[in-house]
Amino acid sequence: MKAIGLTMVAGSVLAALSMSATADTDLSRIEARLQVLEQRAAQAEARATAAEQKAQRLEQMMMAAPAPAAPATVAASAPVLASHDQQPAQGMVLHDDKLGELKLYGDVEFNMDGASKQGQISSVRTALGKNSDAGKSDNWDINGRILIGLDGERELHNGNYAGFTVQPLADLSGSMNLDDAAFYFGQKDNWEVKLGRYEAYDMFPLGQDTFVEYSGNTSNDLYEDGFGYIYMMKEGRGRSGDGGSVQITKSLDNWYFELNALVEEGTSLFGGDTTYHGYDLKNKKNVIYMRPVIAWQQDSFKVAAGMESQVINNAYGAYGNNGEGKWKDMSKRNGYGLTLAWDTLENDPENGIVATLSTAYMDATGEKDFTAGGNILWRKAQLGYIYAHNDIRTFNTDVLNSDNSSLNAVPGKYDLHTVFVSYEIPKILDLDNYKIYLGGYYSKIDADQKDMVSGRDDDRYGVRARFKYFF
């Protein structure tokens, strides 16, 4: 009996000890779980604190960032031959994702001009009825424009890309115009194809933003028949009011190749009255200007050579004897150009020099023209000179007879001399995107046939203050 009792007591003790061990184990597990929960809560609190600090920093950065500039409300434009500042638009990126980048930018030009006389330099003014502005002088003008640009481009990792550009213009006259509107695609630093409205390679650069209003250039419809003519290999360059262009370019080491084709109505080159050498031009076909250019650059030196040729036969012309005679094709025009440049401004912005020398030659129906010019820029001051020689070999004498002129013929040779200056005043009000250009020019014609109003050579001169603002 004692043995049985001892056995029962031992069993009870062992059972109690087992229950106690189990309870201790459960408590340990609960404590471990509580510790894990406490650690997770601490980590969550730390992450919340870090997020709050980041939000505060972002709010401070947004409050410190400058507000965007308000858009300008006044714009203007001048129908003059000018070389515009080539500073790239900085702009603002509106959208950037897998479909590409969209950029908005702008360019303001606001001018205050004063000129001696209106219009081109005259060589045979009376014979062609150009007397309307002969006595008008001291022309003061405020003009200019605002350009709003929108560019879009997408580039892949392999260098393939495509994009577009559109640049509406609002001018002071209240009209809307367009600078560039083009679509392009290609491979970075290799080749590109462009279509639309744009300007091809400049074979006769005038340099720093320049005011030069002299005797006209067919590239911007300033030509008027009977006036001194400056040829600068720009007839097939593009940005026409009557047609579009397609261009292929190729880059290879230091070489650059370009072929531009301009398709337009050819008579639009000669201004609104479409007269050339006294003939009233009749348009039959659109012209095609083929304009190849090849350029080579090494360090600060660059050289470019090119030509432009109108390749469509009988695109436009005229009939002799007041429109009753034989048809005369007047659409043959072949031009050639060469330009040399030395530019150290990029490596030395303070004392760098930009020097350019350009020459161009035109072989056209009844006319041969030669132009040479150069300009040099140093410490934001530029001086330039242009010489042009025209050899007019044929002329419609019926026009002279209808104007009761006693002359038998007008063909002759005449020279034009133009001197121009430009000076840049940078960082107006400490704004690096706002500057003022001061410019002026003097141009004179020396003709075999003197000015038929006064019997002497004619001249032009003018001054300008241009307010230039990029955004």
Side-chain angles (χ1 to χ4, degrees), residues 81 120-121 204 206 210-216 228-232 371-375 382-390 415-421 440-446 458-462:
L81 186 63
Q120 286 81 5
I121 295 178
F204 210 107
L206 297 181
T210 302
F211 181 37
V212 180
E213 185 182 61
Y214 40 65
S215 54
Y229 173 57
I230 310 296
Y231 175 70
M232 296 191 293
T371 309
N375 51 77
Q382 178 178 265
L383 174 65
Y385 169 74
I386 301 173
Y387 165 77
H389 175 77
N390 300 147
D415 301 324
L416 295 106
H417 307 271
T418 302
V419 178
F420 59 93
V421 295
Y441 71 93
Y442 174 80
S443 192
K444 178 181 177 64
I445 185 171
D446 180 13
D458 201 2
D459 61 4
R460 293 285 187 274
Y461 52 88

Side-chain angles (χ1 to χ4, degrees), residues 22 34 72 102 162 183 206 232 425 451:
T22 302
L34 289 175
L102 191 65
F183 172 70
L206 297 181
M232 296 191 293
I425 305 175
D451 185 312

Side-chain angles (χ1 to χ4, degrees), residues 32-65:
R33 290 178 181 178
L34 289 175
Q35 291 177 356
V36 171
L37 291 175
E38 288 179 357
Q39 292 176 356
R40 290 180 179 178
Q43 292 174 355
E45 183 178 0
R47 286 195 294 268
T49 302
E52 183 178 359
Q53 291 175 351
K54 291 181 179 179
Q56 290 177 353
R57 289 197 297 269
L58 179 60
E59 183 179 359
Q60 292 173 356
M61 293 173 62
M62 293 176 65
M63 294 179 63

Side-chain angles (χ1 to χ4, degrees), residues 228-292:
Y229 173 57
I230 310 296
Y231 175 70
M232 296 191 293
M233 208 189 133
K234 294 183 178 181
E235 294 186 3
R237 190 182 177 199
R239 198 179 282 173
S240 168
D242 293 276
S245 303
V246 58
Q247 180 186 95
I248 301 174
T249 63
K250 169 71 175 178
S251 299
L252 182 63
D253 297 329
N254 295 340
W255 293 92
Y256 171 80
F257 305 90
E258 175 182 294
L259 177 61
N260 193 69
L262 170 66
V263 182
E264 66 173 354
E265 181 182 335
T267 56
S268 64
L269 289 172
F270 305 102
D273 54 5
T274 63
T275 57
Y276 179 62
H277 292 185
Y279 291 94
D280 185 13
L281 297 178
K282 306 296 182 183
N283 187 73
K284 287 189 173 184
K285 313 171 190 175
N286 280 351
V287 301
I288 299 179
Y289 273 91
M290 301 302 295
R291 191 177 189 268

Side-chain angles (χ1 to χ4, degrees), residues 333-355:
R333 302 182 71 84
N334 297 297
Y336 311 88
L338 176 69
T339 181
L340 308 173
W342 177 262
D343 187 349
T344 63
L345 195 61
E346 182 177 354
N347 297 327
D348 188 359
E350 185 66 25
N351 293 299
I353 294 176
V354 180

Side-chain angles (χ1 to χ4, degrees), residues 133-297:
D133 298 319
K136 188 175 181 180
S137 61
D138 297 329
N139 292 280
W140 299 96
D141 190 21
I142 296 178
N143 55 72
R145 90 290 187 278
I146 290 181
L147 178 150
I148 302 295
L150 185 65
D151 291 356
E153 183 175 305
R154 183 188 180 190
E155 181 180 351
L156 303 181
H157 294 295
N158 60 5
N160 295 341
Y161 66 92
F164 73 91
T165 180
V166 59
Q167 299 174 337
L169 291 173
D171 61 40
L172 194 61
S173 67
S175 62
M176 290 295 298
N177 296 298
L178 187 66
D179 211 23
D180 284 358
F183 172 70
Y184 57 88
F185 57 92
Q187 189 172 62
K188 211 69 173 179
D189 300 322
N190 190 356
W191 62 271
E192 180 183 277
V193 175
K194 183 186 293 186
L195 303 94
R197 174 184 167 88
Y198 56 86
E199 285 188 321
Y201 197 97
D202 189 355
M203 287 298 298
F204 210 107
L206 297 181
Q208 179 174 273
D209 211 316
T210 302
F211 181 37
V212 180
E213 185 182 61
Y214 40 65
S215 54
N217 188 313
T218 55
S219 63
N220 52 16
D221 301 340
L222 289 180
Y223 176 88
E224 287 191 59
D225 202 20
F227 290 76
Y229 173 57
I230 310 296
Y231 175 70
M232 296 191 293
M233 208 189 133
K234 294 183 178 181
E235 294 186 3
R237 190 182 177 199
R239 198 179 282 173
S240 168
D242 293 276
S245 303
V246 58
Q247 180 186 95
I248 301 174
T249 63
K250 169 71 175 178
S251 299
L252 182 63
D253 297 329
N254 295 340
W255 293 92
Y256 171 80
F257 305 90
E258 175 182 294
L259 177 61
N260 193 69
L262 170 66
V263 182
E264 66 173 354
E265 181 182 335
T267 56
S268 64
L269 289 172
F270 305 102
D273 54 5
T274 63
T275 57
Y276 179 62
H277 292 185
Y279 291 94
D280 185 13
L281 297 178
K282 306 296 182 183
N283 187 73
K284 287 189 173 184
K285 313 171 190 175
N286 280 351
V287 301
I288 299 179
Y289 273 91
M290 301 302 295
R291 191 177 189 268
V293 172
I294 179 172
W296 179 82
Q297 182 172 359

